[in-house]
């Protein structure tokens, strides 16, 4: 019997190696069919990884979710596109080059090869024929092509701007890459502010559309839509001009005609409170402040101090919590509505790059202004009173818009909303203001002073200025030979063969732009390239994109809610306006999975709590590692990694292996010719309980794939099914359960396992004597008759007299039985208009109603 024992041992290493080889030899297995396919299309995509050289458990979880879905959709008969690629530009390659003296290209390539091996070892069903590697010229030339199209449309431009500078990276960071004042890659490096001429993409031109589009994205998590709404940050309000009083010698509250010469434009969302404005406040960098300080050294040093505080707070990433300081300039501004002169202050919490860099301060009706006025003794004047007066209604600040105006001259008595409209109208007519919508969203700074990125395809000519690289000269290739040093500035600037070029316009000597693009450019449109990865004449063919888009299901981490997921929506709208595509949102449904944590913290090298997928795979097998990552928590929640759990899943798969291999020979004799179990004909009642459990499990998992994705409970349901089969082991062994039922049980168990444990499922499929790939076998259908619980009859008595008999599922709870009794027609006839005083349910036996 040694042979039998041997046969019964589950050996994931052997099974998984065998199938990995078979799948590698059959690249068509995971290939998408062309758009002419008669099957409905399904595009499932997980966010592409950065090729660090090593998958981590967060990856395994992300890709196990997507792969389970892709496999189930294949089995459901869809034409599935499930591609993978590499977000291959970026800083770590340069850091590695410094550290190991390996060129970034080589380092990246060998990492990609290593991670591809891991992916294949894990059995991920990717269509490698459509692989995209963003650091390859055949990909990044299209970044350059898009950049040129945006330049032509005025969507790419250069301006001098204050930038976040990481001294460690020696490059510019986007605001989103500054985390609590430090670099996102260098958690301990403080980000500095610098002035640089930078390239920008005009994402603000699409601000309103990006905001409106969110309403349509009902397949996105609400939290992601909220994050994007906040990031775009739309405010409706009014811009109003105060006028600089050139020689004011009167204190606050004085009414005097100001000069019309110098306007100070302020933005406010509450123009209805303007009669309560008791000062105007300017950002330290406001141009007017420069004029004031030019003739006042004392003021200048105070303003410099405020600016310094602002910088520090900005670098700390926490402007909201800044300690509020200000300085009075000794100047006055005239309120255009009543001619009143109010003092002009400079304050450290007013930003030049938000609104107009100037505000009117209304302490009675704004919390921040109130705090500032209390501190500096500025007048607080109430101009809004609540609609309903009550206890505490005279407290200040009063921030609500539910009020009417007081102390506001001819506007007294108007509601806040009426006053906003009226005052806006007056400003427009008087040409001292207008309705204004402003956004918090800023244009996207894409310049990086780095080597390992897409070269910006522009040329600087002394005669012609900025000259775009002509399309036929694309791609502008990154030079291979380069010395990476820690000197500041772009490494490309130190490669004369790259920098020195010929002006396409005048043919004279010229210099190439040496900035490269932010790597978020690469990931903004990569998923379009998957549909046509080999296209050398266009970024992608229109028909293919139209067939596959929008992505049916996109899966990735919530940390991309505002970076990647806003940039790629912007990019899609630009592509629509370039007439490359019709759709204007790339992603139909979005799923954000939780993190993998261990010992209470996110797995990270610095915390030393990283679990290696290779280690898990070599000890327990890829199926166990994948299945555990789906089983241990609902996919949208954080997963607390427990190695015991992986071992447990491995033991479970061993049980599956034993049962299926043990009874496969019996099952094969019961295989129905039609492929479908003939319930009426085979004495199947002996297996009813097992069949019921099976069909209930099929129904549950099928439904779950449609929406909730509680794969953890799906795996648990399969475990319960296997437990019941084990409980029936004696009857199975004795041949008491008919072969057709055994066949139905085993075959469907294997099919249900296929999305979660693809290696074992493929092996057992073969053990069952099935031909062809399990991926092409139809997903099982639940038979509602078989899934139905047995019914029993329960008599219903009213006041002791038998009135009706109702049918309920065996084991139904008292509530269900009561509801069934009360719903019965005869019972309703006798109780209508009467008072049901009491309902006594004897579960499984009877229902007694006391009626008066
Ligand atoms: Zn850094
Ligand atoms: Zn020129």
């Amino acid at each position: 019997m040694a042979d039998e024992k041997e046969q019964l041992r589950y050996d994931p290493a052997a099974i998984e190696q065998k199938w990995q080889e078979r799948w590698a030899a059959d690249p068509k297995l995971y290939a998408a069919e062309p758009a002419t396919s008669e099957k409905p299309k399904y595009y499932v995509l997980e966010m592409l990884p950065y090729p660090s050289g090593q998958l981590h458990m967060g990856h395994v979880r992300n890709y196990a979710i997507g792969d389970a879905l892709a496999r189930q959709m294949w089995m459901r008969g869809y034409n599935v596109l499930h591609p993978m690629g590499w977000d291959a530009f970026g800083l770590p390659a340069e850091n590695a080059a410094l550290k190991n003296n390996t060129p970034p290209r080589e380092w990246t390539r060998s990492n990609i090869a290593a991670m591809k091996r891991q992916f294949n070892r894990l059995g991920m069903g990717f269509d490698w024929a459509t692989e995209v590697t963003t650091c390859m010229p055949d990909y990044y030339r299209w970044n350059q092509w898009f950049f040129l199209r945006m330049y032509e449309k005025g969507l790419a431009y250069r301006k001098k701007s204050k930038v976040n500078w990481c001294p460690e990276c020696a490059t510019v960071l986007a605001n989103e890459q500054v985390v609590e004042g430090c670099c996102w890659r260098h958690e301990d490096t403080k980000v500095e502010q610098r002035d640089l001429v930078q390239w920008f993409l005009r994402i603000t031109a699409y601000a309103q559309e990006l905001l409106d589009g969110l309403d349509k994205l009902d397949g996105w998590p609400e939290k992601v839509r909220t994050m994007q709404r906040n990031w775009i940050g739309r405010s409706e309000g009014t811009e109003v001009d105060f006028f600089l009083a050139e020689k004011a010698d009167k204190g606050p509250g004085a009414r005097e005609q100001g000069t019309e010469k110098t306007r100070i434009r302020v933005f406010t969302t509450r123009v209805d409170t303007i009669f309560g404005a008791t000062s105007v406040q300017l950002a330290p960098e406001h141009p007017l402040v420069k004029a004031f300080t030019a003739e006042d050294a004392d003021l200048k040093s105070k303003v410099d101090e405020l600016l310094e505080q602002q910088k520090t707070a900005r670098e700390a990433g926490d402007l909201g919590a800044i300690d509020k300081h200000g300085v009075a300039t000794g100047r006055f501004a005239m309120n255009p509505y009543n001619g009143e002169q109010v003092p002009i202050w400079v304050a450290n919490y007013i930003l030049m790059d938000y609104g107009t860099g100037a505000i009117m301060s209304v302490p009675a009706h704004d919390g921040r202004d109130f705090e500032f006025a209390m501190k500096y003794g500025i007048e607080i004047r109430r101009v809004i009173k609540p609609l309903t007066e009550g206890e505490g209604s005279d407290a200040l600040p009063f921030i609500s818009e539910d009020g009417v105006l007081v102390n506001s001259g001819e506007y007294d008595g108007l509601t806040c909303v009426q006053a906003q409209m009226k005052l806006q109208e007056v400003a427009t007519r008087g040409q001292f203001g207008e309705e204004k919508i402003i956004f918090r969203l800023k244009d996207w700074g894409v310049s990086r002073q780095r080597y390992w990125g897409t070269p910006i395809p522009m040329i600087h000519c002394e005669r012609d200025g900025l000259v775009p690289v002509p399309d036929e000269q694309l791609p502008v290739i990154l030079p291979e030979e380069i010395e990476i040093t820690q000197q500041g500035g772009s490494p490309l600037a130190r490669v004369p063969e790259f920098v020195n070029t010929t002006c396409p316009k005048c043919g004279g000597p010229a210099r190439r732009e040496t900035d490269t693009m932010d790597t978020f450019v690469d990931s903004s449109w990569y998923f379009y390239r998957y549909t046509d990865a080999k296209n050398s004449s266009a970024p992608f063919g229109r028909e293919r994109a139209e067939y596959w888009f929008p992505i049916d299901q996109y899966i990735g981490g919530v940390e991309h809610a505002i970076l990647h997921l806003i940039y790629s929506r912007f990019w899609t709208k630009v592509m629509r306006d370039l007439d490359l595509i019709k759709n204007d949102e790339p992603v139909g449904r979005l799923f954000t999975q939780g993190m993998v944590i261990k010992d209470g913290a996110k797995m990270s090298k610095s915390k030393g709590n990283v679990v290696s997928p290779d280690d898990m795979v070599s000890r327990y097998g890829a199926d166990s590692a994948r299945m555990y990552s789906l089983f241990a928590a609902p996919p949208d929640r954080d997963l607390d990694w427990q190695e015991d759990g992986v071992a447990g899943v491995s033991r479970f798969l061993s049980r599956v292996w034993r049962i299926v291999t043990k009874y496969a020979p019996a099952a094969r004799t019961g295989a129905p010719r039609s492929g479908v179990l003939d319930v009426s004909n085979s004495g199947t009642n002996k297996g009813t309980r097992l069949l019921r459990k099976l069909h209930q499990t099929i129904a549950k998992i099928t439904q779950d794939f449609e929406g909730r994705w509680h794969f953890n409970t799906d795996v648990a349901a399969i475990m319960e099914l296997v437990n019941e089969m084990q409980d029936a082991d004696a009857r199975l062994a004795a041949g008491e359960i008919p072969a057709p039922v055994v066949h139905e049980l085993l075959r469907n168990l294997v099919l249900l396992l296929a999305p979660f444990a693809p290696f074992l499922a493929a092996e057992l499929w073969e053990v069952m004597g099935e031909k062809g790939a399990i991926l092409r076998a139809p997903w099982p259908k639940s038979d509602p008759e078989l899934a139905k619980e047995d019914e029993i009859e329960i008599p219903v008595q009213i006041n002791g007299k038998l009135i009706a008999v109702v049918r309920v599922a065996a084991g139904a709870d008292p509530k269900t039985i009561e509801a069934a009794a009360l719903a019965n027609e005869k019972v309703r006839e006798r109780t209508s208009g009467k008072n049901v005083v009491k309902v006594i349910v004897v579960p499984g036996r009877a229902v007694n109603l006391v009626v008066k």
Side-chain angles (χ1 to χ4, degrees):
M1 298 307 279
D3 282 347
E4 193 188 333
K5 249 190 188 162
E6 192 55 35
Q7 183 219 335
L8 291 182
R9 199 171 66 87
Y10 170 49
D11 181 359
I15 292 171
E16 293 179 1
Q17 194 194 338
K18 165 182 161 185
W19 287 97
Q20 200 189 321
E21 280 164 17
R22 285 223 204 154
W23 292 339
D26 180 15
K28 279 230 170 83
L29 185 63
Y30 301 123
E33 294 172 22
T36 48
S37 168
E38 280 174 11
K39 299 173 180 171
K41 71 96 181 175
Y42 195 83
Y43 188 174
V44 52
L45 182 66
E46 300 98 68
M47 290 178 186
L48 85 178
Y50 179 79
S52 61
Q54 184 67 252
L55 289 177
H56 54 70
M57 277 302 168
H59 286 131
V60 173
R61 188 181 195 201
N62 187 186
Y63 302 121
I65 293 169
D67 199 49
L69 179 63
R71 286 173 187 278
Q72 205 248 2
M73 294 309 280
W74 265 307
M75 294 171 77
R76 285 176 61 190
Y78 282 79
N79 179 20
V80 176
L81 177 60
H82 188 218
M84 187 43 63
W86 313 96
D87 192 11
F89 273 139
L91 199 58
E94 284 179 57
N95 292 340
L98 268 175
K99 216 166 130 190
N100 316 325
N101 204 23
T102 320
R105 184 177 278 95
E106 268 176 40
W107 184 81
T108 305
R109 278 198 184 145
S110 73
N111 285 351
I112 288 174
M115 287 170 80
K116 208 166 172 177
R117 266 198 306 279
Q118 285 183 302
F119 271 140
N120 289 330
R121 180 63 190 84
L122 283 162
M124 298 297 172
F126 297 131
D127 181 0
W128 289 113
T130 66
E131 181 178 3
V132 164
T133 305
T134 62
C135 67
M136 302 293 276
D138 69 346
Y139 183 79
Y140 70 67
R141 70 173 293 174
W142 300 111
N143 288 345
Q144 296 172 336
W145 185 87
F146 279 122
F147 188 93
L148 292 170
R149 301 292 84 80
M150 291 196 205
Y151 181 73
E152 287 160 6
K153 290 173 92 71
L155 292 172
Y157 67 97
R158 248 158 59 106
K159 72 171 181 198
K160 191 170 180 182
S161 75
K162 216 160 265 315
V163 293
N164 304 303
W165 180 267
C166 171
E168 195 71 29
C169 302
T171 194
V172 170
L173 302 178
N175 285 336
E176 302 88 315
Q177 292 164 336
V178 180
V179 182
E180 289 168 5
C182 293
C183 172
W184 68 326
R185 294 200 190 282
H186 303 101
E187 289 173 26
D188 305 320
T189 305
K190 282 229 167 198
V191 171
E192 299 167 1
Q193 302 282 300
R194 284 197 186 178
D195 276 317
L196 275 183
V197 177
Q198 299 280 295
W199 283 100
F200 286 85
L201 299 184
R202 207 179 294 281
I203 189 173
T204 54
Y206 291 85
Q208 187 64 51
E209 214 194 318
L210 287 167
L211 186 66
D212 294 343
L214 291 171
D215 296 337
K216 290 183 290 178
L217 297 178
D218 46 16
W220 284 39
E222 194 49 50
K223 68 179 169 191
V224 173
R225 294 199 282 174
T226 302
M227 284 164 86
Q228 292 211 354
R229 275 191 198 100
N230 293 340
W231 191 255
I232 296 167
R234 182 184 194 270
S235 298
E236 272 177 42
T238 315
E239 281 189 359
V240 179
D241 294 328
F242 280 66
F243 296 96
L244 181 64
E246 276 195 335
K247 281 203 176 118
D249 47 9
K250 304 215 170 178
R255 284 165 190 265
E256 183 181 278
Q257 200 59 21
T259 170
E260 294 261 332
K261 275 186 200 150
T262 308
R263 291 169 183 251
I264 306 171
R265 180 150 279 218
V266 305
F267 174 78
T268 174
T269 57
R270 292 292 305 274
V271 72
D272 52 313
T273 65
I274 198 164
F275 285 76
T278 52
S279 70
V280 161
Q281 305 198 344
L282 305 178
E285 291 172 286
H286 195 281
L288 209 49
V289 175
K290 234 166 243 160
F292 296 163
T293 54
E295 43 195 68
D296 185 341
D298 183 45
L299 182 63
K300 180 166 190 326
S301 77
K302 284 176 181 158
V303 168
D304 285 348
E305 225 170 283
L306 297 174
L307 189 58
E308 206 45 50
Q309 291 155 3
Q310 190 172 89
K311 272 188 183 167
T312 310
R314 222 192 254 260
E315 282 162 14
D318 205 1
L319 268 167
I322 191 171
D323 240 353
K324 294 171 191 62
H325 295 293
V327 57
T329 61
R331 311 295 184 111
F332 291 83
M334 189 199 79
N335 182 329
Y337 287 96
N338 60 4
E340 180 183 4
Q341 287 194 10
V342 298
I344 301 175
W345 284 68
V346 182
N348 65 356
Y349 61 92
I350 313 291
L351 301 176
M352 197 55 226
D353 57 6
Y354 181 79
T356 60
I359 63 150
M360 62 179 204
S361 180
V362 184
H365 304 292
D366 180 280
R368 196 178 61 172
D369 295 349
F370 184 81
E371 190 188 324
F372 193 83
M374 292 297 280
K375 177 168 178 179
Y376 289 103
I378 299 171
E379 184 193 349
I380 297 169
R381 186 192 308 155
R382 161 161 239 152
V383 291
I384 307 289
K385 91 176 184 230
L387 282 175
T388 47
E389 311 230 1
E391 205 180 322
S393 66
D394 53 354
L396 289 180
F398 176 75
I399 316 250
S400 162
E401 286 187 55
D402 287 329
V404 293
L405 273 64
V406 293
N407 298 326
S408 299
E410 60 189 288
Y411 307 101
D412 279 0
L414 292 181
T415 65
C416 292
V417 175
Q418 287 168 338
Q420 282 166 16
M421 284 160 62
K422 180 75 189 162
L423 288 163
Q424 221 163 54
E425 212 179 282
V426 170
T428 310
R429 220 175 323 116
Q431 296 186 333
F432 59 81
E434 62 196 329
E435 182 182 357
K436 189 82 182 178
I437 291 157
I438 64 168
F439 292 93
R440 184 175 165 264
L441 182 71
K442 298 277 171 280
D443 279 339
W444 174 12
V446 293
S447 280
R448 296 291 181 274
Q449 289 70 49
R450 305 304 316 182
Y451 163 66
W452 196 231
T454 304
I456 291 177
M458 297 297 290
I459 289 168
H460 302 271
C461 170
E462 281 200 8
R463 274 175 57 180
D464 302 306
L466 272 176
V467 182
V469 173
D471 281 3
E472 59 274 16
Q473 289 179 21
L474 296 183
V476 177
I477 299 260
L478 263 185
E480 301 243 350
E481 293 296 322
I482 188 150
E483 195 197 349
I484 308 279
T485 69
Q486 250 163 343
Q487 297 166 31
S490 170
L492 286 177
R494 297 189 291 272
V495 184
E497 310 85 78
F498 177 82
V499 176
N500 298 325
T501 185
T502 309
C503 170
K505 233 180 188 168
C506 68
R511 289 174 59 83
R512 280 193 195 283
E513 171 66 59
T514 57
D515 281 359
T516 54
M517 297 183 200
D518 179 7
T519 57
F520 277 109
V521 167
D522 307 324
S523 53
S524 286
W525 68 280
Y526 76 104
F527 32 51
Y528 282 89
R529 184 72 179 170
Y530 282 142
T531 65
D532 201 1
K534 306 278 191 289
N535 196 326
S536 59
S537 59
F540 52 84
R542 165 195 282 274
E543 273 147 46
R544 294 193 189 198
E546 259 158 35
Y547 173 74
W548 285 110
F549 274 80
I551 294 167
D552 295 279
Q553 184 68 62
Y554 198 25
I555 304 164
V558 75
E559 67 272 19
H560 295 295
I562 45 173
L563 302 160
H564 164 54
L565 287 169
I566 279 196
Y567 294 151
S568 52
R569 293 182 59 221
F570 158 66
W571 208 278
T572 302
K573 290 174 199 305
V574 172
M575 293 196 297
R576 175 204 60 197
D577 291 347
L578 292 170
D579 204 24
L580 295 175
I581 47 173
K582 276 203 211 111
N583 65 302
D584 64 3
E585 289 289 349
V587 176
R589 282 169 59 104
L590 172 71
F591 185 85
T592 53
Q593 86 275 6
M595 290 188 302
V596 178
I597 55 177
K598 187 165 179 281
D599 311 325
K602 184 182 176 176
M603 278 190 192
S604 77
K605 265 190 203 154
S606 60
K607 301 221 167 62
N609 60 351
V610 173
V611 174
S612 148
D614 288 349
D615 186 35
M616 287 299 115
V617 167
S618 69
R619 287 162 72 183
Y620 303 104
D623 279 338
S624 294
R626 291 175 58 143
M627 203 163 178
Y628 170 73
S629 78
L630 296 174
F631 172 59
D636 56 335
R637 304 282 180 76
D638 287 348
L639 182 160
D640 186 17
W641 189 268
Q642 305 283 349
E643 194 173 326
D644 290 358
V646 193
V649 169
S650 172
R651 284 194 298 276
F652 163 69
L653 291 179
S654 291
R655 285 203 294 278
V656 172
W657 167 263
R658 272 198 303 273
I659 284 193
V660 177
T661 51
K662 187 168 171 189
Y663 296 111
R668 289 166 77 154
T669 67
R673 224 171 291 155
S674 65
V676 179
L677 176 69
D678 183 352
V679 186
S680 58
N681 212 351
S682 47
T684 51
N685 56 332
K686 284 188 182 161
T688 307
R689 206 179 124 88
L690 281 172
L691 280 179
R692 183 164 62 229
K693 185 71 188 171
L694 170 69
H695 282 269
Q696 287 173 347
T697 308
I698 295 172
K700 177 191 164 21
I701 296 176
T702 305
Q703 205 186 11
D704 227 41
F705 264 110
E706 298 274 351
R708 299 187 331 138
W709 282 17
H710 281 185
F711 295 142
N712 55 322
T713 61
D714 293 339
V715 175
I718 297 175
M719 289 174 170
E720 277 176 38
L721 172 65
V722 170
N723 284 345
E724 288 207 9
M725 287 164 72
Q726 268 193 321
D727 290 347
D729 192 54
R731 288 196 294 141
L732 279 164
E736 279 175 27
I737 296 176
V741 173
V742 178
H743 180 266
E744 172 84 354
L745 284 167
L746 298 190
R747 186 178 189 274
N748 285 303
L749 169 64
V750 173
L751 288 169
L752 289 176
L753 273 176
F756 307 111
F759 289 108
L760 179 58
E763 178 69 13
L764 293 178
W765 191 243
E766 202 172 70
V767 168
M768 289 290 293
E770 298 283 351
K771 300 275 179 282
I774 189 169
L775 209 57
R776 301 282 179 259
W779 182 253
K781 276 200 173 59
S782 170
D783 181 333
E785 279 305 311
L786 288 176
K788 206 160 73 182
E789 290 286 351
D790 280 344
E791 286 190 339
I792 52 169
E793 294 188 331
I794 294 192
V796 183
Q797 300 185 32
I798 295 184
N799 297 338
K801 198 174 158 206
L802 178 69
I803 301 300
V805 173
V806 294
R807 296 179 66 86
V808 296
D813 60 68
K815 270 224 157 97
T816 311
I817 299 171
E818 180 181 329
L822 292 174
N824 180 279
E825 190 121 345
K826 283 183 191 158
V827 174
R828 276 163 61 187
E829 264 171 36
R830 304 209 179 208
T831 52
S832 81
K834 289 180 182 156
N835 192 11
V836 180
V837 184
K838 211 171 182 185
V839 182
I840 305 146
V841 178
V842 187
R845 302 293 289 276
V847 180
N848 292 308
L849 304 180
V850 182
V851 172
K852 276 185 185 163

